[in-house]
Amino acid sequence: MKTTDIKSRTRTTLGLVGASLAVLIASACGGGGGGGLPGQAGASAPAQTDSGGAITVWVDPPRVPAAEAFKKANPDIETTINQIDGTVGSKALSQQFAQFNQAKQGWPDAIFFPSNDDIAWASGAQINYAADLTSQVPDLIKGYDPAVLAPCNIDGKIRCLRNDAAPDVFWYNQKFFSANGYTPPKTWEEYGTLAVKIAAEHPGKVSAFLGDAYAPDRYLWASGCPTNQRLSETSVMINLDDAKCQRAKKLVGEMVTGKAASNLGIFDADAAKAGKDLVMSPGALWWGDYLFNQTWKIDAGTMTATTPLTWQGESQPSTGNEGGGLWGVSSHITGKQLENTLKFATFVVSDPRWQVELSTGLPAYGPVQDDWIAKQKASKYFADNDATFAAFKQAATYVPGDHAYTLYNTGGIWTETVAKDLVAGKSFDEAWTTFGSELNNQAKSQGYEVKTTP
């Protein structure tokens, strides 16, 4: 997850790839749209095409340098780069791909999905855009930790490639802790207790941000709460009464009541001011450079990351994940066109000329992580560089793997319910109830059967 990825959570529409695309879409649309994804029932599968080698790639603004680096490194491959809207949660992209299916033309050869949730429709039976890469790039896949590539492993097939790893670590203000004699917590329960204690002893200090779309990832996903547990393409498990959801609810509720949590989201205009008062929080590894250094301008030598927290009664840490983008390859191409597209996909996920030299997020591809870390360490920004980067490398293995990307956006639902309710002065219990109801409603509206047990 890189800096402008983060901004895409609130980015307004940039316009998708120009007039030629609009003309194609118009010609593909025979009638009215309506909500959801247009069905493809009864449509014959389009024949795979081979351009002879020319490829077209779609990227959001942060990934334009990746595509340009590939083009520079491979001048013999005719590569057209189209910049697309980076708005997370938009349905426009899925609807356009459905229209491409109707027209049997128009798909990009490779794409960086603006939202990780996009892989749900891109790999689903209706759209079926994302190719199965399992046998196409087996050596490349071996370079990933299976936990990092888990979002792309759909029904045993690798349907995408991860760009960067974005697991949560546990951040704390080492200067503040040392000055006040506090010890960093080891468990989630200790974190909640200490957050309330610090808020009482140092009013205004912040130990949690609850107003952004990643907040449920930081707490619910980290707890293993089933909000996004995929049972099949058409069924999910959602159960906020599950013990793993209830412990997360208790933790967050106690911090809200104890005035240890901010209602702001980390991307809000006022978050930079509140960020100066942050003393600790779970947060993605990209918080270090993007939030603390570039955005909130926290002094060097202040913040440090450590291993994610453990829930009481469990033997190892458990943490959430905030982003970590996905690349997809078209299932509609073959021959030299496919060969060059796979060369592109391999470059953007594994080549140091992008992943080390230009990317600000920890590469998801394991073999280049150490080189990226060595480059980042040179800035000596963190209070304890060695501890911070060691935590970065470990954290991905502690992310619960049964959380899937789906057609409904849990983070968006959180911001429309919990975040708004807290700002309006409602209790966290009230906000939680509204969140649970809307989560179920939106899952069902997307066609899922919602179950409370596996």
Side-chain angles (χ1 to χ4, degrees), residues 65-74 137 140 161 163 327 340-356 358 365 368:
E68 289 177 340
F70 170 80
K71 194 169 184 177
K72 181 179 179 180
N74 296 272
V137 285
L140 185 69
L161 296 171
N163 182 73
W327 293 93
N340 286 345
T341 302
L342 293 175
K343 185 178 290 188
F344 171 83
T346 299
F347 181 94
V348 293
V349 301
S350 68
D351 197 288
R353 283 170 287 186
W354 159 244
Q355 287 291 349
V356 176
L358 299 175
Y365 185 68
V368 293

Side-chain angles (χ1 to χ4, degrees), residues 209 264-276 296:
F209 283 94
L264 292 171
I266 57 175
F267 314 125
D268 290 351
D270 294 334
K273 182 179 179 180
K276 300 283 189 180
W296 295 351

Side-chain angles (χ1 to χ4, degrees), residues 42 94 97 196 220 235 274 277 288 302 312 329 342 348-349 357 366 388:
S94 60
F97 272 67
V196 173
L220 307 191
S235 65
D277 288 318
T302 300
Q312 284 183 1
V329 170
L342 293 175
V348 293
V349 301
E357 297 305 318
T388 297

